[in-house]
Amino acid sequence: MAGFADLNLPAGPDKKGLQSLLEAAARLGYSAVALNHVIDFKEKKQEIVKPASPSELFPSLPIVQGTSKRIKVLNRLTLIVSDPSHCNLLRSTSANIRLYDIIAVFPKTEKLFHIACTTLDVDLVCINVTEKLPFYFRRPPVNVAIDRGIYFELLYTPAIKDSTMRRYTISNAISLMQICKGKNIVMSSAAERPLELRGPYDVANLGLLFGMSESEAKAAVSTNCRATLLHGETRKSACGVVYTVKKPRKVEEEETTLPACKKAKTQA
Amino acid sequence: MARADPPPPPPAAFERRVLRSAAEHHYLRVRLELPDGGARPSAAQFKQLVVTALRELHGEVGAALPVDVLTYEEKTLSAILRVTSSGLVKLWSALTLLGFYQNRRCAFRVLQTSPFLLALSGNSRELVLD
């Protein structure tokens, strides 16, 4: 079973705040989080910085509740694109882009949404949840995105902060659900404080409110996050990734502990 | 494309039984998280907070949902709520989206939910396994 993941924790200069966020996420049961670096092309002089490796930032990562493993920290890059020329950056093989585990785009117009879904080499497409949608989702680009294994991201923290944004979050989420039918959705937080984080089961329950089924809602915080991560990893390799897991060995003592009379019967 | 008629299905060797959860109520064990040094709600204020959360998200219909606070500990801010099964998603989502108590940030942590009250007496997630 894929563990729970939160693919959007804003990475800021505040290391102490980030540490407390990580601790809160681990306590709530998230086994992986992604630190989000945002690049907005509207502001001048935006450079893609080299992400710091999590082990440098945090010497000791907190242990996930209920397991004995430490939380996994990833790096994610979000590009806010409002003009088609901004996408050139993704096509060029910039060295720094390759250092990020997940790449997301936030399209501002319908045309860019179409480009993001159909041609761009990204893992996540962010859905605007803080204002009224500037365009309607259309079926063709969304279907192409689902075929290509690109996921749509919905944030829930704006819905906690403000009642107007809550309205937009729910209405935009429902209109997306009508098109993608609950498939390929990732729900993440974008929480800046530990009190804005919610547990994975709470978020899955929120998915029911957005019109997903129970299994789709749970996938939105677990398996879909893992799929996004693997999709990001395929970018670094030639064609794909294969994971091997050690299979727990069958206990062979069972046979030997059987009474001798039963053994003889099966052989006869 | 020509298709051969499928052979008649063999008589079912099994009987289908659908068991729906007949439980009338669901129980939730919740904990309210407040920033340090804030005023702690009393039991009545706690119930008021839950109803406010329901009204914020689901309006008057939500506020009319039968929710009971069975136990409430002011020291740990943890409580056990009872809600009719059909209102579980409404109550849970309302608690999730509650962000403020008296203009200060707060968060509801839903620790456990179950159709059986007895199940809340222990929590397997808190067990230390090795």
Side-chain angles (χ1 to χ4, degrees), chain B residues 38-88:
Chain B
R40 284 159 177 269
S42 67
Q45 284 168 323
F46 184 84
K47 173 77 201 273
Q48 181 66 32
L49 183 65
V50 173
V51 173
T52 318
L54 276 166
R55 181 175 288 127
E56 261 180 47
L57 189 64
H58 297 289
E60 291 298 330
V61 179
L65 205 71
V67 180
D68 304 311
V69 180
L70 297 189
T71 65
Y72 172 65
E73 248 184 88
E74 204 174 320
K75 212 165 84 187
T76 56
L77 292 173
S78 54
I80 292 179
L81 307 178
R82 183 179 72 174
V83 66
T84 46
S85 293
S86 57
L88 174 70

Side-chain angles (χ1 to χ4, degrees), chain B residues 78-108:
Chain B
S78 54
I80 292 179
L81 307 178
R82 183 179 72 174
V83 66
T84 46
S85 293
S86 57
L88 174 70
V89 172
K90 276 186 186 173
L91 174 66
W92 197 347
S93 54
L95 294 180
T96 306
L97 289 183
L98 184 76
F100 291 93
Y101 170 65
Q102 292 180 348
N103 293 324
R104 296 158 63 92
R105 284 184 188 286
C106 73
F108 263 108

Side-chain angles (χ1 to χ4, degrees), chain A residues 148-168:
Chain A
R148 293 175 69 214
I150 291 176
Y151 287 77
F152 298 99
E153 185 193 44
L154 289 168
L155 303 178
Y156 64 82
T157 296
I160 295 173
K161 281 185 185 160
D162 187 89
S163 82
T164 331
M165 289 191 194
R166 179 181 301 179
R167 223 158 48 223
Y168 288 133

